[in-house]
Each structure stands twice: as structure tokens, then as C-alpha cells.
Amino acid sequence: MTTGQISDPSPLDEDADGDDGPDVLRRRAERALQAVAFDTIGAGYGEAFPAKRGQLACGRRLLARLEPGAAVLDIGCGTGDPTVRQLTAAGMRVTGIDLSDVMLTLARAAAPNGPFAPAFHRIDMYDLATRRADRAWNLPALGPRGRGTFDAVTAFFSLILLPQEEIPTVLTRLRALLRPGGLLALGMVEADLDHVPLPFLGRELRISGYLREDLERVLVEAGFAVEEQSGHPYAPASTSLPPEEQLFLRCRRVG
């Protein structure tokens, strides 16, 4: 186990496409801190956010447009609850990714039954659809070779961990992994935040969000058509976390 580390044989200052840049070390250090935070939080995340009606409803709307056996990539799968469980039970071929070893261990231990067993991998979402997925993480199916191979991608409250400047890049890479016309189900917090440090279940995490019209613009510019959008007020079970407005969107790859 490599808890809280970015296990990566490539040079530390090498970017996802093999480029060097001053922000690479900063980004990778931030990812390592996120992994440590979620290793510590573990199953406590589900206890703090037990009600997932909006997320499950978005998942049902996605499933209504997928055939059994469709390939779905879940970004920031955590413990696998509820999205991996929901998709697997519906007969999808699910691949879940996360940076937290502890979350992935919990997900594997609670892997749901279904026609296809879900697969779980540790990788930085920023490296998806790039050469680093193969070279640094030994996951060629999530690198350039995997472009156009997924029928759908789900990303529920995972992109909020990125600075706003990185979110369009990751969305473009998710689009590359989707087949033409492939679907994206997205969950975000509606707030005008850009990588703001906030207390989160005993840790500090940097969180980003958008107002809904700004989020739709970012998605369109990344090559998606927003086909469905809904907002839901949400009050976490933990009294240390403020109420929030959750946005759920179903999008389709354009082109």
C-alpha cells in the first residue's frame, strides 16, 4: 500500500503529457495531501453524507440511456457507494478510480454483485487519457489506448477537488475516453469557489465550485451538450459541515 503517496516512477516534474512546468510539483503535492485526507476520512465520508437521493436519481436517469454491459468509468469512486453499486447491479461494466488507497480497499471489500465484477484502480484523474496513465500508473486502458472506449463517465463530487483552471482540462480528457455520443453524469456543489481551503471532516481540503450557468459554459466549451440539469439543497449529517446546493447534470459528448 502506498497510502497518501503519488506512486509514480516517472520524474516528479513531468506533466501528464510529458511537459515540464513550474506548477507540476505543486499539483502533485496537493494530490498527495488529498489522498492522505481521504485515507484518514475513510468510511466516515459515507457517515457524514448518508442521503444520496440526488446522486442516485441522476444515476437512474443515466442508466435509462445505457444498454446492459455498457462500459462506465466512475471518477473518484470512493468506497463505491452508491454509484458503483448502482451501476453494477444494473449490469454495467464499471471501472472505478480514486487516489485514496483506503477508499479503494473499502470499495474492493464491498464490491457489489452483478453480471460484471467492478474493477478499481488508483490513478490521478488529471492523468486520464494521457501517456502517464500507461507509463506512470500502468493503466494503458485509461491512457491514449482507452480513447473512445467508454459509453459513460460518472463524476460525482470529484472535480470539486481540482482548481478551476484544471477542470476544463480534465473534462476534455474525460471526453476523449468517451465514445462519440457518450454520456457524462456529473455532480458538483453550486458555489463560486476556486480551490478555497475549507474544513472537511477533521481535515482541510481545497474545494472548487461554479454557479450553474458558469458550469454549463465550462461543459459546453469542453465539448459536451448539457441535456439535463437539476439542483437539490443538501444538509450533511455532520453539524460541522454547512448546508449546500448540489447540482446534477447529464451531458453528452458532442462530436
Side-chain angles (χ1 to χ4, degrees):
M1 179 177 291
T2 54
T3 304
Q5 301 175 16
I6 303 296
S7 53
D8 184 345
S10 299
L12 289 178
D13 60 348
E14 190 173 288
D15 203 351
D17 288 319
D19 300 323
D20 295 341
D23 294 332
V24 176
L25 287 177
R26 172 196 56 77
R27 184 178 64 248
R28 298 189 68 237
E30 289 174 353
R31 297 291 195 275
L33 290 174
Q34 289 174 3
V36 169
F38 281 98
D39 283 342
T40 303
I41 292 167
Y45 183 90
E47 296 168 3
F49 296 91
K52 297 183 173 70
R53 289 187 295 274
Q55 184 169 334
L56 287 167
C58 188
R60 287 192 296 272
R61 292 191 292 270
L62 175 69
L63 285 169
R65 289 159 177 81
L66 294 174
E67 298 293 330
V72 185
L73 178 63
D74 186 28
I75 308 299
C77 64
T79 65
D81 183 36
T83 297
V84 172
R85 181 175 301 279
Q86 181 185 36
L87 296 173
T88 301
M92 304 298 114
R93 292 183 292 118
V94 183
T95 300
I97 68 160
D98 208 285
L99 257 185
S100 166
D101 281 306
V102 170
M103 290 291 194
L104 288 169
T105 297
L106 292 169
R108 292 185 182 109
N113 295 321
F116 304 99
F120 297 100
H121 301 294
R122 186 170 185 268
I123 184 173
D124 186 344
M125 71 179 93
Y126 192 84
D127 292 338
L128 291 168
T130 72
R131 289 176 295 166
R132 281 180 59 83
D134 186 359
R135 187 177 64 243
W137 301 96
N138 194 30
L139 294 170
L142 298 179
R145 188 191 305 177
R147 296 187 179 200
T149 61
F150 286 92
D151 299 292
V153 171
T154 54
F156 291 113
F157 307 106
S158 48
L159 299 186
I160 66 173
L161 297 172
L162 302 175
Q164 284 188 0
E165 67 180 4
E166 293 182 10
I167 291 175
T169 298
V170 172
L171 285 171
T172 300
R173 291 172 180 172
L174 297 183
R175 179 187 178 278
L177 292 175
L178 284 168
R179 62 169 175 78
L183 302 175
L184 169 67
L186 181 66
M188 292 285 286
V189 173
E190 183 172 26
D192 187 12
L193 299 173
D194 186 7
H195 217 41
V196 175
L198 296 172
F200 188 86
L201 299 178
R203 308 290 300 192
E204 183 179 87
L205 291 176
R206 290 185 172 272
I207 302 296
S208 294
Y210 293 97
L211 301 179
R212 62 188 69 195
E213 59 271 20
D214 294 327
L215 178 57
E216 183 167 349
R217 173 183 51 78
V218 170
L219 285 160
V220 169
E221 290 175 354
F224 291 96
V226 178
E227 298 186 331
E228 194 172 74
Q229 181 183 137
S230 62
H232 303 265
Y234 189 91
S238 171
T239 56
S240 64
L241 297 170
E244 60 191 36
E245 181 75 8
Q246 295 184 341
L247 297 178
F248 295 96
L249 303 95
R250 182 178 55 77
C251 312
R252 184 178 297 275
R253 172 182 161 167
V254 176

